[in-house]
Structures are given as C-alpha cells and as structure tokens.
Amino acid sequence: MSTIKIGIIGLGYVGLPLARLFATKYPVVGFDINTERVNELMQGIDSTLEVDNEELNAVLSKSPNMETGLYCSDSVSHLADCNYYIITVPTPVDPTKRPILTPLYKASETVGKVLKQGDIVVYESTVYPGVTEEECVPILEKISGLRFNEGFFAGYSPERINPGDKKHTVEKILKVTSGSTPEVGKKVDELYGSVITAGTYLATSIKVAEAAKVIENSQRDINIAFVNELAKIFNLMDIDTHEVLEAAGTKWNFLPFKPGLVGGHCIGVDPYYLAQKAQQYGYHPEIILAGRRMNDGMGSYVASEIVKLMVQKDIKIKGARILVLGITFKENCPDVRNTGAVSVIEHLKSYGADLSIFDPWADPAEVLREYNLDTVQHLDKEGQPKFDAVVLTVSHKEFLTVDWSDYLNSNSIVYDVKGILQNTDGRL
C-alpha cells in the first residue's frame, strides 16, 4: 500500500474535523448520505461550526482525484479507490436506552461495496467492546466477499472530539489506536501519528481500545452524578453547593466536577453501551446505571425546584410565562443532540407553563425536527409581557452580558442551572 487515500464515512462533528486534518497531507474523500450536508461543505460552509470556513476552503478539492485535499460526496463510487476507510457515524440509544447500531451497520455495508484486497477499515464510533469484530466485520465480509485478516483488515481508534472546544482540537488530543493484527495496528498508529501532533497510543487490541473509549465518558458521568447528588443534599441543608466545591477544590487531588444537566452524544449515551454489554454477560452494573438514573432525573428535579420557588412567591404556575435560556447540550456549541435542557422544558410544560425558548446557537429547524419545539430568534424587552421566570440551562457567552431583570416582573424568579449569573433565586 504505497499510496494512501482515505475515505471518511460520516461528515458530522467527528468526521469533518478528522477529514480536514487528514486532507492537509493526504487525498481524502468525505462521504455522507445527507446530500444537503455534502453540498454545504463543498461550498466551504460547516454549519456545525467545528471547522473554520477558511480552514475548510483551504483543503477543499473540486475533484476526487487529487494529490492532497478533501472532496465531499454522497456517491459511494467516489470511495472506490480509497485504501483506508474511517467510519465516524453516530451511535445513539433508543427511547428505552438500548444501543442503536443501525448507522454503524449501514456504514459497514457502504464500505463493503467498495472494499478491496489489502484495505483497512477503521472505526471511530463509540461502541461496547466487541462491536467492531463481532458486529461490523461480518457485514464487511458478507458484502465484499473478502475474508477478515486475509483480504481486508480492521482497526479501532476512538473519537475524542469535544464539540465547541477550539482549544482541544482533534490534532491536539492524544489518539488511541489499534489494529486487527500487530502489523495493521502499527499501520493505523502511523497513519494517525502522521497528523496528530499530540501523539498516539497503540492499544494491545481492538477490544481494549473500544473499552477504553466507553469508560472515559462513563467515568465522567459517574462523577457528575455524584456532585448532582451532593447538590440535592446541600439544597436541603440550604448550603451553596458551588461554594462547597470551591472550598473542597483547594485540595490538590480533588476532582473539579460541577452539578448540572448531562446530555450530548457521549456522556449521556456511552454508559448505556457498556451496561448493555455487561448484562449480556449476566452482570448487572450497579454504579454505572445508578449514575445514569441520577443524571437522567436532573431535568425533573430542576423543574420541581423552579416550581417550588414560583409557589413561594405566589406565582401561578399554569399559564406562567417562563423564558428558557439555551437548548443545546453544552455552551457555545450548536449541537442539540440528547440535550438535558429538553427534560427541563418538558417537565415545566407538564405543569401548564407557557414557555419561550431562546438559544442563539441552536438551529430552529433542527430543534423543531428533533423535539417538536419552537425557539425564538430574538428577545424584545419592549412591547411584550414580562416573564414570570427566567431559567438558564446552558451557559452561552451571549447570556453573560444581558441584564435579565429587564425581562422580569418585580416578583419574577431567576433560576441558574449553571451557576454563572448574579442575583439568582436558585441554582444547582
């Protein structure tokens, strides 16, 4: 394999930054089934805001036949002459919290159609240990007609993208790599090492690399669940949780986790993948699922705390005008997948409140499509009734400089989930 050409399957929050990076050194074909997404990228625009438009335009190629650069397409035929395939599609859960591997299966079928002798397929999607070799490889074998580790090979290199983070970009995060044979592991490691400035770590096997990824976010989930439980306890004691954490944080080895809503495509999902696999082996994971229950219940808890404060001020809940600030899963990021803010919104609506949702980062069409919720694009403090409550669920930078008292009645409340506002009636 003297000439390297890379096919990236899935051009979302993970795939596009990786494709852009590889395209600075190799010819890269970016494939996505979303034609609208492909068209916007070929125009040099990334609506996810993960890749700067200037950086994207610097690597774009108008032809799939290039020495270096990125060509985006929704046609499988453009992947035919690649010899490395990197799959970066989502791995969500269904409403019952069971893993959905359909995107991974479909991506494997796509690659299987163009797989050739000696090609290497690398998976980056978060999965439980065994998915690559036990679930995906058989699909590649069936569609391609090639035998695993004879006709083609596989690798796993878990994504570590942090959406919205412009400091820890893909090339600055150490990359775990692995391969289906020692030789292939070395090739995969060298490929990533040629562009990842932070360096690489070659795991001993694909399953080890899969397991490493799924526990990274499970660990964070459990730690956040712990401080969420602390917030509930200290609220009952009328003690400020943030002040407690600040005091405890003076010890050198105290972990600086904060309470809050847990969502997104990683922390709120990955623990269920590990739990699912554990249960297949007859083990019921207690700590992992307890952490998930705690964090999944925070939306209901926040809503009940808001209602309690409103009742204390004799504010009628049914029909109350409540302004919710933020619906993305984290600050300064347009990603609305699996956002914890929606749980707060749904519970407040169940009390009969009249909600207005304002988020300058979220795409209204995507929010409507994903959650059947309308968002407002602009807030006008003149000529409209004041709000009975303002609830900050996401700490976007735009929210820090606004005097929210302009939007409130004299008796209204402000509840700050993130603990960033001054003069609030309540916070976690």
Side-chain angles (χ1 to χ4, degrees), residues 147-332:
R147 293 191 63 180
F148 181 45
N149 281 341
E150 292 180 11
F152 73 93
F153 304 87
Y156 183 80
S157 180
E159 61 91 359
R160 282 177 166 172
I161 293 292
N162 186 24
D165 189 339
K166 301 308 178 186
K167 180 180 179 181
H168 302 97
T169 51
V170 59
E171 68 271 22
K172 298 175 184 176
I173 303 172
L174 193 143
K175 204 81 165 70
V176 173
T177 62
S178 64
S180 54
T181 69
E183 295 76 20
V184 168
K186 185 177 179 182
K187 287 183 178 180
V188 172
D189 190 67
E190 289 175 348
L191 177 68
Y192 280 100
S194 68
V195 293
I196 302 292
T197 57
T200 60
Y201 177 89
L202 179 56
T204 54
S205 70
I206 287 176
K207 286 184 178 179
V208 166
E210 291 171 326
K213 169 57 182 176
V214 81
I215 71 165
E216 288 174 16
N217 290 315
S218 297
Q219 182 186 66
R220 291 178 65 197
D221 192 46
I222 291 167
N223 279 306
I224 296 171
F226 172 61
V227 293
N228 275 337
E229 186 163 62
L230 292 180
K232 290 184 175 182
I233 294 170
F234 293 140
N235 282 345
L236 292 172
M237 298 178 177
D238 197 26
I239 300 174
D240 189 306
T241 306
H242 291 265
E243 292 179 2
V244 173
L245 293 175
E246 187 175 347
T250 58
K251 189 180 181 187
W252 75 92
N253 61 352
F254 184 82
L255 301 178
F257 287 91
K258 295 182 179 180
L261 303 170
V262 179
H265 68 297
C266 288
I267 302 180
V269 172
D270 296 358
Y272 289 119
Y273 274 72
L274 184 56
Q276 166 78 8
K277 192 62 175 179
Q279 288 167 343
Q280 290 178 8
Y281 281 81
Y283 180 81
H284 182 75
E286 298 181 20
I287 294 176
I288 293 172
L289 291 179
R292 278 285 74 233
R293 286 192 297 271
M294 172 61 67
N295 289 337
D296 278 347
M298 289 308 291
S300 172
Y301 175 77
V302 167
S304 66
E305 289 294 293
I306 294 165
V307 169
K308 189 186 301 180
L309 287 169
M310 294 174 71
V311 169
Q312 290 171 357
K313 284 197 172 186
D314 292 323
I315 301 172
K316 184 180 178 181
I317 308 301
K318 187 174 182 179
R321 299 190 73 247
I322 299 178
L323 174 62
V324 177
L325 301 175
I327 196 171
T328 62
F329 93 90
K330 65 181 293 187
E331 67 276 4
N332 309 323

Side-chain angles (χ1 to χ4, degrees), residues 111-183:
V111 171
K113 294 174 183 176
V114 292
L115 204 57
K116 305 173 300 301
Q117 184 73 30
D119 287 352
I120 297 175
V121 185
V122 181
Y123 290 84
E124 288 214 1
S125 306
T126 301
V127 293
Y128 51 77
V131 167
T132 298
E133 293 159 296
E134 298 167 11
E135 301 279 346
C136 298
V137 162
I139 295 174
L140 295 173
E141 286 186 315
K142 179 180 179 180
I143 301 298
S144 70
L146 299 172
R147 293 191 63 180
F148 181 45
N149 281 341
E150 292 180 11
F152 73 93
F153 304 87
Y156 183 80
S157 180
E159 61 91 359
R160 282 177 166 172
I161 293 292
N162 186 24
D165 189 339
K166 301 308 178 186
K167 180 180 179 181
H168 302 97
T169 51
V170 59
E171 68 271 22
K172 298 175 184 176
I173 303 172
L174 193 143
K175 204 81 165 70
V176 173
T177 62
S178 64
S180 54
T181 69
E183 295 76 20

Side-chain angles (χ1 to χ4, degrees), residues 60-75:
L60 278 180
S61 171
K62 298 300 180 183
S63 168
N65 302 311
M66 62 289 196
E67 292 186 4
T68 61
L70 171 64
Y71 180 81
C72 302
S73 174
D74 59 357
S75 174

